Amino acid sequence: MMQLSVSGFLTDSFYTTVFSEAGAIMDPFVSEGDPEPSRPESCLDQPMDSSSVHEVVHEVVHSDSSALPAKHHDPDTTEPISCGLQTLEELLSWKRSDANLFNVAAVPLAPRDPPLTASARRTLVSHDMMGGYLDDRFTQGTHSDAPYAFYHWQYIDIFNYFTHNMVTIPPVVWTNAAHKHGVVVLGTFITEWTDGAVVCEAFLKDEESYRAVADRLVQISHCYGFDGWLINIENSLSESAVKNTPLFLQYLTEQMHERVPGSLVLWYDSVLEKGELKWQNELNESNRVFFGACDGFFTNYNWTEQSLEWMTGYSGLDGRQADVYVGVDVFARGKVVGGMWETNKALEIIRKHNFSVALFAPGWVYETLSDKTQFRKNQDKFWALLSDFLNIHRPASPFPFVSSFCQGFGKAIYRRGQLEARRSWFNLSAQEVQPLYSNTQLEGGGWLSSRSCPDDAWNGGCSLLLEGVIPATHTSPVSAKIFSLNVILAPKTLVTLIYKSSPGIRVSLELKTTDPSQCTHMNVHDVKVPPVSAAGLGDGLESVSQFFQLCGNLSAGGWTIGCSQLELCGCALREVSVSIQRDREAQEMPISCRVGEILLMDGASLQTPPHLVQGLCIYDVVWLRGAGTSTSPCLHLNATMHWDYPPELVRHFRVYWRRIPPGQLALMGRAYSNLYRVTELEVPEAPGLLELVVEPVIRKGFPLPESHWGRRSLSYTEAKTK
């Protein structure tokens, strides 16, 4: 019982495609005068108000001769991928119509407490791994037995995706994951050595040229939904070029702030004010002109404690000590302090002098340690060593707040406690708000730790496993703090805890709320909440009924689903902990509790009828032949699907297909935006008719009826030969 305390190969194609609408579904909550939601240009010729719309598309293509932009799609499968820009010409010719829609962030930057501007000692991670654009380039995820992932988001403030492309555009999976946790995401603009000097002389020659480059960088950031740039000029500059560099930085910074609220532009310690390439490892008179023109300064890595001491008294800081990010190379290349398993030593010194820190390439724990199966263990060990020198920020999550602790990768996929597919996978867009991981020693020799575990899950790829030993002398409950949040609680807040526990223990949820002006629950209180009921929440509504049918049940997978209702006014949730108490006589006992999901939602929201998927269209169709289930080459459908649905209401979408006459729905995958690319779908030979279906998985936790799903049928016939 849950208790709650408050406180394959390819050939040419030869098919004609016909689209047909299975029937447009109108949302009763959108008036006729409201403008139609935005749709891709390719969708505009597919009317949404007819049940018998037909469009003939003539495509005679090979995968590499299709109309799809080659750099945005895998050449073999047409799967969408993220990429950067290589040349100045490519940057200057970039326009919004060239954007890869699959790389546009679906998650806005979450507010956080404290705000970044109020954080005195910040932490930046610069992710540089093996040239970049690895498994993370696949915008819809990929199969990967041993991927690299990051999930200690509440320890960091800024995430920079670094490669040696001239313009590094962060893969969307990173932006989505970071934004859920209130972490700012920066791309990289880099020029290097002789070729870089040529580029700089071209774009820094005059005001018109440097403004053109800055304008493109702003447009790219705004279009793709990330939050700024690290500017890294690692080549010498002529007198005229270096004179224009601070003006370029200042203009870029001003334009970014105007177009992207909360954005940042940082400068890397490399060039001096006279144009010489000479790393200083500190902020000083030779490079302060660049610091004064942007939001922050990222030092090189060969600093000493003496140089940090000197910087603390340097007048050029101008009160901006938090804007100096002292670089730490986790690979420990060169003469550096700390690095590798001693990175904490560098952080200790940096924090002693009250500077921010920039951790470069913390993927060292993945790249250099040969046993990739131990990645989670090594990752957790590394960040635990640093934790004493890292400040925790609280992401401000809107209601409903829900997390199944999925880290965006795993060796299986679970849905509502049941195994859905046993295969390795990676998609950081699937990552949900991450918990804090801890290891607490108890009096009497006991302990309690928390870690992610991929062996079982409620949703996604892993759960949160609490395990330990309660000594015989320990009679009070033991608890593990798992979330540090800033969530405004609704007057009637519904709370769901889904878990599995070992015998002989009671599991409860502790909520710590703070708001001195209104909320009376200033600390964690052992308050028993009455059993949940539908009173005051709209008896008879289907959504209310569906929610309460879940509560108090034991699922087929052995999960306990406990629900409670809170009635608090004006309270902000600050911490969520899981408490475990012995339910037997006092004796030392090992304990374990697997937490599958935590959900908090506004009870009044159950009175709002759910939305319907609208405007489903299909475009960018490519027919290919490749290996399939039979011995002869099979017909494969590749196509883009787009639909309209409020993104803030869903965790993801499940995308299906089936043959018509109606066959069984077959799951193709999950989408984390209103776009999905169908790839290598083996379909029957022409003539044929099939249906594509989109199911929203809403944040409220219960399944929507099929009447609310999106559907569109697609018929196809063999093209007539001349």
Side-chain angles (χ1 to χ4, degrees):
M1 179 177 67
M2 184 195 78
Q3 298 174 327
L4 180 66
S5 297
V6 180
S7 55
F9 71 85
L10 310 170
T11 61
D12 290 345
S13 65
F14 50 94
Y15 287 89
T16 297
T17 304
V18 180
F19 295 95
S20 67
E21 176 90 17
I25 301 174
M26 302 305 294
D27 189 332
F29 299 98
V30 178
S31 65
E32 293 183 1
D34 289 340
E36 184 181 12
S38 60
R39 295 162 60 198
E41 185 175 350
S42 303
C43 286
L44 295 180
D45 53 0
Q46 297 180 34
M48 295 294 115
D49 58 353
S50 172
S51 61
S52 58
V53 175
H54 297 277
E55 178 182 349
V56 178
V57 179
H58 296 279
E59 293 282 358
V60 180
V61 300
H62 189 277
S63 63
D64 57 7
S65 63
S66 73
L68 298 176
K71 65 182 179 180
H72 293 159
H73 295 268
D74 183 271
D76 295 326
T77 66
T78 79
E79 191 169 357
I81 56 176
S82 303
C83 65
L85 306 179
Q86 306 294 331
T87 67
L88 182 60
E89 292 73 21
E90 194 176 1
L91 172 62
L92 291 173
S93 64
W94 187 93
K95 52 187 180 296
R96 188 172 290 269
S97 59
D98 294 334
N100 177 5
L101 296 181
F102 285 95
N103 201 53
V104 175
V107 181
L109 178 62
R112 45 164 284 175
D113 180 35
L116 182 60
T117 53
S119 299
R121 301 191 304 177
R122 306 166 192 156
T123 302
L124 179 152
V125 161
S126 187
H127 175 63
D128 174 34
M129 178 175 285
M130 302 163 62
Y133 298 115
L134 305 172
D135 290 333
D136 53 8
R137 76 185 186 276
F138 294 100
T139 65
Q140 296 184 163
T142 189
H143 301 281
S144 180
D145 291 329
Y148 173 79
F150 181 78
Y151 46 85
H152 291 86
W153 293 106
Q154 287 176 311
Y155 284 139
I156 77 169
D157 305 289
I158 303 165
F159 177 84
N160 163 237
Y161 194 83
F162 186 94
T163 77
H164 291 275
N165 293 278
M166 193 183 79
V167 178
T168 297
I169 300 170
V172 66
V173 297
W174 284 105
T175 307
N176 284 339
H179 278 184
K180 288 175 187 175
H181 298 84
V183 173
V184 168
V185 177
L186 306 182
T188 304
F189 177 76
I190 187 172
T191 62
E192 300 177 278
W193 315 119
T194 303
D195 291 343
V198 173
V199 169
C200 289
E201 294 307 309
F203 89 87
L204 291 170
K205 64 184 179 182
D206 54 35
E207 181 178 3
E208 180 182 3
S209 298
Y210 72 67
R211 285 195 171 207
V213 166
D215 287 341
R216 291 298 183 273
L217 294 177
V218 173
Q219 291 165 11
I220 289 171
S221 176
H222 183 265
C223 174
Y224 286 117
F226 61 95
D227 312 298
W229 297 94
L230 171 66
I231 307 300
N232 187 0
I233 306 297
E234 298 213 51
N235 48 260
S236 59
L237 298 174
S238 67
E239 182 178 351
S240 60
V242 76
K243 180 180 178 181
N244 283 327
T245 301
L247 300 176
F248 161 68
L249 282 174
Q250 183 176 356
Y251 178 74
L252 173 62
T253 303
E254 291 172 349
Q255 294 301 305
M256 283 298 306
H257 290 176
E258 181 177 330
R259 294 291 299 277
V260 182
S263 59
L264 294 174
V265 175
L266 305 184
W267 173 262
Y268 178 67
D269 165 24
S270 52
V271 175
L272 307 185
E273 63 177 350
K274 299 296 186 182
E276 182 183 2
L277 177 62
K278 189 175 183 180
W279 298 269
Q280 298 294 285
N281 306 296
E282 65 182 19
L283 177 69
N284 57 35
E285 283 297 307
S286 298
N287 53 34
R288 65 173 290 190
V289 64
F290 308 113
F291 175 60
C294 65
D295 294 309
F297 186 87
F298 182 150
T299 79
N300 194 46
Y301 312 107
N302 303 109
W303 47 267
T304 64
E305 184 167 9
Q306 289 72 30
S307 64
L308 299 188
E309 289 175 353
W310 179 86
M311 274 201 298
T312 58
Y314 175 48
S315 61
L317 278 175
D318 197 24
R320 297 175 57 197
Q321 193 160 348
D323 295 333
V324 175
Y325 299 83
V326 179
V328 177
D329 182 2
V330 178
F331 276 77
R333 290 164 285 206
K335 190 175 181 181
V336 299
V337 177
M340 298 187 282
W341 291 122
E342 295 186 341
T343 299
N344 57 311
K345 293 182 178 180
L347 265 69
E348 182 177 11
I349 296 173
I350 294 168
R351 296 311 198 200
K352 173 183 174 182
H353 297 285
N354 292 313
F355 286 104
S356 295
V357 64
L359 288 169
F360 187 74
W364 168 84
V365 298
Y366 177 87
E367 286 193 60
T368 63
L369 303 176
S370 58
D371 188 358
K372 301 298 191 257
T373 63
Q374 297 299 306
F375 164 64
R376 277 190 173 98
K377 179 180 178 181
N378 290 326
Q379 175 98 315
D380 293 345
K381 174 185 175 182
F382 177 81
W383 287 94
L385 288 170
L386 306 186
S387 61
D388 287 344
F389 311 105
L390 302 174
N391 297 323
I392 294 173
H393 70 268
R394 296 179 169 92
S397 175
F399 260 21
F401 169 80
V402 60
S403 179
S404 66
F405 313 101
C406 180
Q407 294 179 331
F409 68 106
K411 55 187 181 182
I413 300 176
Y414 295 83
R415 184 193 185 202
R416 304 185 69 80
Q418 299 295 307
L419 178 66
E420 185 169 79
R422 188 167 295 284
R423 59 177 174 81
S424 297
W425 64 279
F426 170 82
N427 186 348
L428 287 178
S429 290
Q431 189 179 97
E432 301 205 328
V433 177
Q434 289 299 291
L436 300 168
Y437 300 97
S438 62
N439 193 330
T440 304
Q441 299 300 310
L442 306 174
E443 293 182 3
W447 56 276
L448 180 66
S449 69
S450 61
R451 62 179 176 89
S452 65
C453 182
D455 296 336
D456 196 3
W458 176 256
N459 274 320
C462 67
S463 54
L464 180 67
L465 183 62
L466 307 179
E467 54 188 354
V469 172
I470 302 179
T473 56
H474 198 96
T475 57
S476 58
V478 297
S479 65
K481 183 168 73 172
I482 57 175
F483 287 120
S484 182
L485 302 167
N486 183 24
V487 178
I488 304 301
L489 295 174
K492 291 184 184 292
T493 296
L494 299 178
V495 183
T496 301
L497 172 65
I498 301 175
Y499 66 96
K500 293 180 179 180
S501 64
S502 56
I505 61 174
R506 296 196 304 271
V507 179
S508 63
L509 207 57
E510 296 177 349
L511 308 181
K512 183 175 182 179
T513 64
T514 56
D515 189 340
S517 64
Q518 300 180 52
C519 184
T520 57
H521 296 276
M522 299 302 298
N523 293 292
V524 176
H525 298 282
D526 189 15
V527 177
K528 298 293 191 299
V529 178
V532 74
S533 72
L537 295 177
D539 298 14
L541 287 175
E542 184 178 4
S543 57
V544 176
S545 175
Q546 285 181 313
F547 178 83
F548 289 115
Q549 284 176 4
L550 300 175
C551 299
N553 291 330
L554 189 68
S555 77
W559 295 91
T560 297
I561 306 173
C563 304
S564 293
Q565 178 178 309
L566 296 177
E567 295 188 11
L568 298 173
C569 182
C571 294
L573 177 62
R574 306 292 282 178
E575 293 179 2
V576 178
S577 300
V578 173
S579 177
I580 299 175
Q581 186 167 19
R582 191 188 353 249
D583 200 19
R584 295 177 177 173
E585 64 276 5
Q587 60 178 359
E588 182 174 290
M589 62 181 299
I591 59 170
S592 69
C593 176
R594 185 182 300 277
V595 186
E597 187 165 284
I598 291 176
L599 167 67
L600 296 96
M601 62 183 287
D602 184 354
S605 69
L606 293 178
Q607 301 178 46
T608 304
H611 285 69
L612 314 173
V613 175
Q614 294 186 304
L616 176 58
C617 68
I618 308 166
Y619 62 101
D620 284 347
V621 176
V622 177
W623 295 99
L624 301 168
R625 282 204 175 273
T629 55
S630 63
T631 55
S632 59
C634 296
L635 181 64
H636 287 168
L637 168 66
N638 305 268
T640 296
M641 301 169 62
H642 177 271
W643 57 89
D644 296 316
Y645 198 88
E648 68 275 10
L649 302 182
V650 295
R651 301 171 75 172
H652 59 267
F653 300 90
R654 293 169 60 82
V655 185
Y656 307 87
W657 82 285
R658 66 178 165 194
R659 298 177 61 174
I660 299 177
Q664 290 290 327
L665 283 177
L667 179 68
M668 291 189 288
R670 299 182 178 190
Y672 294 87
S673 70
N674 291 11
L675 277 175
Y676 184 77
R677 182 70 185 170
V678 180
T679 59
E680 297 185 298
L681 177 63
E682 183 180 339
V683 297
E685 295 293 327
L689 178 64
L690 56 86
E691 183 180 44
L692 302 179
V693 179
V694 175
E695 175 195 6
V697 178
I698 61 173
R699 297 174 63 84
K700 294 179 183 179
F702 54 84
L704 290 182
E706 289 197 29
S707 59
H708 289 63
W709 301 7
R711 303 171 183 278
R712 194 159 179 95
S713 59
L714 184 154
S715 63
Y716 52 100
T717 58
E718 187 172 349
K720 296 180 180 179
T721 57
K722 295 182 179 180

